[in-house]
Amino acid sequence: TRATVAMLAVGPEAARDLLDRQRVAVVDRMRELTAHKTHPGLSLAELLATDHAIAHLDADVRWLDAAALRVVDLTDRMT
């Protein structure tokens, strides 16, 4: 609810822009972590921690995509 209200407070265009920029940042971090997994000598603990971080970032991307669709839907309903 707080995220929705905050996004609507800045307006739908700004909300979509914010979500898009956040998505780019998250995907960039996922790429960095994926590349990190190929380093030789990576311990099992480091590999598992990296996989864990990537999984969380993947969930963030899915949430950002869903939030962007909801902003569009809510904007359409309001107009």
Side-chain angles (χ1 to χ4, degrees):
T1 301
R2 286 186 301 184
T4 302
V5 171
M7 285 187 282
L8 291 175
V10 298
E13 290 299 321
R16 283 192 292 269
D17 183 55
L18 174 68
L19 292 167
D20 288 345
R21 285 185 284 124
Q22 185 64 31
R23 188 182 194 287
V24 167
V26 171
V27 170
D28 285 347
R29 183 64 181 140
M30 288 175 71
R31 284 188 185 113
E32 291 171 5
L33 289 170
T34 299
H36 176 74
K37 288 173 41 169
T38 64
H39 288 160
L42 201 64
S43 71
L44 177 60
E46 291 170 316
L47 182 59
L48 289 171
T50 303
D51 285 340
H52 178 68
I54 291 170
H56 275 271
L57 291 169
D58 182 59
D60 288 346
V61 167
R62 286 183 276 127
W63 182 87
L64 289 163
D65 289 343
L69 290 173
R70 291 187 194 282
V71 168
V72 169
D73 183 51
L74 186 56
T75 302
D76 290 346
R77 289 182 191 189
M78 293 173 60
T79 57

